Amino acid sequence: MRQILDIQKRLLPDLTDVLKKRYTILHHISSTGVVGRRALATHLELTERVLRAEVDFLKEQGLLITESSGMKLSDSGRKLLEDMEPIVKELLGLSYLEDTLRERFGLRQVIIVPGDSDQSELAKKELGRVGAAELRKYASKDDVVAVAGGSTLAEVANFLTPSAHMKGNLFVPARGGWGESVELQANSIASIMAKKTGGEYRLLHVPDHLGEEAYVSLMQDPNILEIVEVIRSARVVVHGIGDALVMARRRKSDPQTIGELVAEGALAEAFGYYFDKQGKVVHKMPTVGLRLEDIQASEVVIAVAGGKSKGEAIAAVMHFGHDDVLVTDEAAAVELMHYI
């Protein structure tokens, strides 16, 4: 297939552009469910005249259905979109990036979605959709699944659906809560994932950022200790990746701690641990939840993170070497190539 696509790029470049454009239209409608023509034109930065012509063509092919609330994909449109995905990945060079990053970082699987989630809400939603698909793929009956917080993991939760083999899963937060929006905290995401899949959930009602004395005291509480032991037994871990200094400031770390992170070369944060460019842990916060040894003992660790701005941070966590699956976007993947 790659050879055929290379020939097409050279002899019929206009056809390639048309294919990408129509794929993007179908893909956006798929991600939003139902969308109006004007909103779609604005999001895709197309004139309404150009979009109208494309939509009319797609309707004639039986790929779109128009309702009073907007446009949505037909069953044929959904099937075609699935069939087009590997072709579009080849056209965009994403298959090559996936293979290269998987090999260089020693991962089980790398999945790259088009776009830059720093700039495109569609790309971020696609990270969530693919992240949800990977979780369904690797989770098995009666698993304990530990999930972190953040906006990307919230998108993963939104795309989960009832699943027979996930019905008995127990979803737990990977760590305690912290000062961001309640809906982005690990507790909330664990409960949404459970409700979406028909599973169960347990919550951890403690702050994420603790002093040593508070940490020791909490870990002596039998109720806290019991849920923490469940969290640390997780077979599957799903997490995001943050920029070290951004995350430290969001956690209201004091100036001395931030200065230490800078001096130590911290680039990335995940699970409450801070990593340098070699993937070495240079700083950790006292946190009630998953520890590094628990992550290393988990059977499947899935990272879902994207955006050009996070390329170096994602590379740092991948160099740590305990993730099995990476779901990222095109912009982050291109940046990752500089750090392999």
Side-chain angles (χ1 to χ4, degrees):
M1 182 175 67
R2 183 171 295 179
Q3 185 178 12
I4 294 171
L5 290 173
D6 287 340
I7 293 170
Q8 180 180 298
K9 286 180 187 178
R10 297 177 67 182
L11 296 180
L12 299 165
D14 292 346
L15 184 60
T16 299
D17 292 339
V18 171
L19 187 149
K20 289 179 182 177
K21 180 166 58 177
R22 290 175 179 167
Y23 174 84
T24 301
I25 292 170
L26 292 172
H27 188 266
H28 183 83
I29 295 171
S30 173
S31 297
T32 54
V34 178
V35 64
R37 182 179 291 172
R38 182 171 297 178
L40 183 59
T42 300
H43 189 91
L44 299 180
E45 298 181 345
L46 296 172
T47 66
E48 288 197 50
R49 182 182 63 81
V50 170
L51 181 63
R52 186 183 304 112
E54 295 296 342
V55 165
D56 288 345
F57 172 82
L58 295 171
K59 283 170 59 180
E60 288 171 7
Q61 299 301 312
L63 305 174
L64 290 183
I65 299 171
T66 302
E67 300 178 338
S68 58
S69 55
M71 299 173 290
K72 68 178 185 179
L73 292 191
S74 66
D75 290 341
S76 296
R78 281 189 288 272
K79 177 65 167 60
L80 180 65
L81 196 61
E82 292 175 8
D83 293 342
M84 287 176 69
E85 188 168 338
I87 298 171
V88 172
K89 283 196 169 188
E90 286 288 352
L91 285 171
L92 297 178
L94 301 186
S95 297
Y96 167 77
L97 286 174
E98 287 175 344
D99 292 342
T100 303
L101 294 175
R102 177 177 49 78
E103 181 181 333
R104 298 296 178 87
F105 287 118
L107 295 163
R108 188 183 305 182
Q109 190 172 8
V110 175
I111 307 95
I112 300 171
V113 306
D116 180 352
S117 54
D118 283 344
Q119 307 294 329
S120 167
E121 191 63 29
L122 177 60
K124 192 159 195 173
K125 286 184 180 297
E126 185 66 358
L127 281 178
R129 185 189 71 81
V130 175
E134 291 306 301
L135 177 54
R136 283 193 296 269
K137 175 180 174 181
Y138 286 100
S140 56
K141 189 173 176 59
D142 298 326
D143 275 343
V144 176
V145 180
V147 299
S151 59
T152 305
L153 270 291
E155 290 290 357
V156 174
N158 289 336
F159 278 95
L160 286 172
T161 54
S163 173
H165 80 280
M166 294 183 73
K167 193 170 183 180
N169 286 174
L170 176 64
F171 292 87
V172 294
R175 54 203 292 180
W178 47 295
E180 64 179 351
S181 303
V182 171
E183 62 270 18
L184 301 183
Q185 294 191 16
N187 273 333
S188 299
I189 291 170
S191 67
I192 292 169
M193 286 184 171
K195 292 169 184 174
K196 289 268 191 175
T197 60
E200 302 293 330
Y201 66 91
R202 298 281 303 276
L203 303 181
L204 181 61
H205 296 294
V206 299
D208 180 53
H209 192 182
L210 298 169
E212 287 287 351
E213 187 175 337
Y215 174 80
V216 171
S217 176
L218 274 173
M219 292 303 289
Q220 293 174 347
D221 183 295
N223 295 319
I224 297 293
L225 194 57
E226 189 266 335
I227 179 59
V228 168
E229 287 176 351
V230 172
I231 291 169
R232 291 175 175 175
S233 73
R235 177 182 168 271
V236 180
V237 176
V238 190
H239 70 94
I241 296 170
D243 175 277
L245 298 184
V246 170
M247 298 304 293
R249 292 187 181 104
R250 284 169 70 178
R251 288 190 166 85
K252 297 180 171 48
S253 298
D254 56 66
Q256 180 181 343
T257 299
I258 291 176
E260 290 172 357
L261 290 172
V262 173
E264 292 163 343
L267 294 174
E269 186 275 342
F271 337 107
Y273 293 84
Y274 291 81
F275 303 83
D276 67 11
K277 65 181 180 181
Q278 282 86 30
K280 177 185 174 185
V281 175
V282 295
H283 193 90
K284 65 178 181 178
M285 302 290 189
T287 180
V288 177
L290 285 181
R291 304 161 300 184
L292 284 184
E293 53 263 42
D294 306 315
I295 295 156
Q296 291 163 346
S298 298
E299 288 187 36
V300 182
V301 182
I302 303 171
V304 188
K308 181 178 180 180
S309 65
K310 285 189 180 177
E312 192 172 16
I314 296 170
V317 176
M318 293 304 104
H319 281 304
F320 172 62
H322 287 282
D323 280 273
D324 300 291
V325 179
L326 171 63
V327 179
T328 190
D329 61 28
E330 182 180 2
V334 170
E335 287 296 302
L336 275 166
M337 295 292 286
H338 299 305
Y339 305 106
I340 58 177

